[in-house]
């Protein structure tokens, strides 16, 4: 865990006096200029003898795949993100129970695109984007701080030739009271760390003498809300952890710990019906209690369903899908259905020159006639790869500078081909659904299957 504390920490108290010097971050770099002597600095527009600059907002699947494929002989790359690593989200659930360590699912940005660490005009900034000025080709940013006992946020701006918005999405709460205060999401490494910490803490607390049976059962009740792939995979990992580890290491409380999965409709709704039935059977066999219901309110030690049922919990994990972030909603761009940034067939934002959007934060405009693609890693990865190739083509054809790519032939539009879906369900078993894919598996007579991972 100390690895990730060091990985994401912006500064320590020892570095505070150094950063109080307002010129520390920028005066040693020739690319930076300061507008005022004390508070505002930034990367100025590129000069003719410099490479064009691509600014990437975000370090998820889409942004990192783009940075990996971008030709750094043509462009300087600047990444702005509140985390300096990419998270391999399909394996995140496994880190919560110790099947994998946290460092196994994170890859530093500097290893994905080495130019960010080495090239003189490429940088990574641990910051959030706070505003865009598409007329001036400028991004406004503010540094990420680690709690109260650190430096004040530092504001700066970056001029771009090409801007790629890959800010992803955030977990949806549907406006239900208490979710953000009491539930834990499962989207980042620090979420998995918090789940593991709380799970182990509750296991140890439940063994304290004098604890009532009711309180012991509450502490060891793990509730997962949301029956999509993330919720099902985490429930499967948790049931394996209970069956194989808790029964040996925490024998005194092994009969109290249990898992409940709450879903409003069918679990794994995007999968084939036969696979959903198998998943239901397998999870029930592993000890997961499946409840169909809608959460109305979340309190510190219990949640309440719309039918009035009260469900006490010691650990609450919320996994009910994703939606646009407040920043994406605030952008004055045309939006696709669902509130994402509207894009055309070449992943451009039509109302803003030199601006592209990829990943979960973007969706095709209705005028394109294309459906909004699902918020999946394979969609984001494919868009990042396509846009890297497109920008490389634009750069080679002399359109890398701002406002200079209008006459460049773009080639074919982005086309998404679904490669299938997969979800683990515990006990070394996984579901594979290839109904929308042209991929074939020799041992399968149909395009759905249960795979034994042993």
């Amino acid at each position: 865990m100390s690895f990730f504390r060091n990985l994401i920490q912006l500064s320590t108290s020892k570095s505070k006096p150094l950063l109080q010097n307002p010129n520390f971050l920028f005066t040693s770099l020739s690319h930076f200029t300061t507008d005022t002597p004390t508070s505002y600095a930034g990367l100025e527009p590129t000069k003719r003898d410099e490479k064009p600059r691509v600014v990437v907002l975000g370090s998820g699947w889409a942004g990192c795949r783009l940075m990996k494929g971008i030709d750094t002989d043509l462009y300087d790359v600047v990444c702005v993100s509140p985390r300096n690593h990419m998270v391999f989200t399909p394996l995140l659930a496994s880190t919560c129970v110790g099947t994998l360590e946290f460092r196994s699912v994170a890859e530093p940005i500097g290893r994905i695109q080495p130019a960010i660490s080495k090239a003189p005009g490429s940088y990574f900034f641990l910051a959030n984007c706070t505003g865009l000025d598409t007329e001036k080709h400028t991004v406004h940013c503010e540094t990420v701080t680690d709690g109260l006992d650190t430096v004040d946020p530092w504001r700066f701006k970056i001029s771009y030739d090409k801007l790629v918005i890959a800010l992803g999405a955030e977990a949806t709460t549907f406006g239900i009271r208490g979710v953000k205060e009491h539930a834990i999401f499962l989207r980042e490494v620090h979420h998995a760390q918090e789940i593991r910490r709380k799970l182990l803490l509750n296991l140890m607390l439940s063994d304290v003498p004098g604890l009532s049976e009711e309180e012991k059962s509450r502490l060891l009740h793990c509730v997962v809300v949301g029956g999509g792939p993330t919720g099902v995979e985490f429930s499967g990992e948790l049931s394996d952890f209970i069956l194989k580890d808790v029964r040996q290491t925490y024998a005194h409380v092994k009969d109290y710990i249990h898992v409940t999965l709450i879903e409003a409709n069918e679990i794994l709704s995007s999968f084939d019906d036969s696979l959903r039935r198998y998943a239901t059977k397998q999870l029930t066999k592993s000890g997961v209690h499946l409840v169909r219901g809608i959460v109305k309110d979340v309190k510190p030690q219990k949640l309440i369903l719309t039918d009035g049922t009260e469900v006490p919990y010691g650990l609450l994990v919320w996994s009910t899908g994703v939606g646009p972030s407040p920043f994406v909603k605030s952008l004055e761009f045309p939006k696709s259905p669902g509130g994402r940034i509207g894009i055309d067939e070449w992943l451009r934002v039509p109302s803003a020159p030199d601006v592209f959007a990829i990943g979960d934060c973007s969706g095709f405009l209705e005028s394109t006639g294309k459906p909004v693609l699902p918020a999946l890693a394979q969609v984001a990865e494919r868009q990042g790869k396509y846009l890297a190739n497109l920008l490389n083509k634009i750069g080679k054809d002399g359109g890398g500078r701002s406002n200079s790519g209008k006459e460049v032939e773009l080639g074919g539009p982005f086309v998404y081909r679904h490669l299938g879906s997969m979800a683990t369900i515990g006990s070394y078993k996984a579901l594979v659904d290839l109904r929308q894919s042209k991929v074939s598996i020799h041992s399968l007579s149909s395009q759905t299957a249960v795979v034994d991972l042993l």
Side-chain angles (χ1 to χ4, degrees), residues 186-221:
L186 188 52
R187 295 183 54 77
E188 302 287 350
V189 170
H190 65 85
H191 294 150
Q193 288 176 321
E194 177 62 14
I195 290 171
R196 186 194 285 195
R197 185 199 67 80
K198 194 159 189 176
L199 180 60
L200 295 178
L201 179 64
N202 288 352
L203 280 167
M204 290 182 280
L205 288 177
S206 63
D207 214 11
V208 174
L211 206 64
S212 68
E213 298 288 303
E214 183 181 2
E215 179 64 8
K216 190 176 292 189
S217 294
R218 183 194 69 78
L219 278 173
L220 296 179
H221 188 197

Side-chain angles (χ1 to χ4, degrees), residues 315-374:
L315 172 67
L316 176 60
V317 176
W318 194 271
S319 175
T320 58
V322 296
S325 67
F327 177 74
V328 168
K329 292 178 182 177
S330 71
L331 294 176
E332 296 181 356
F333 295 144
K335 298 296 196 297
S336 69
R340 301 186 192 182
I341 299 171
I343 55 174
D344 65 10
E345 297 94 327
W346 290 271
L347 311 183
R348 300 174 299 183
V349 179
S351 59
D354 299 317
V355 178
F356 303 81
I358 54 177
D360 296 351
C361 70
S362 66
F364 289 119
L365 290 165
E366 288 184 298
S367 59
T368 65
K370 293 188 174 185
V372 176
L373 297 174

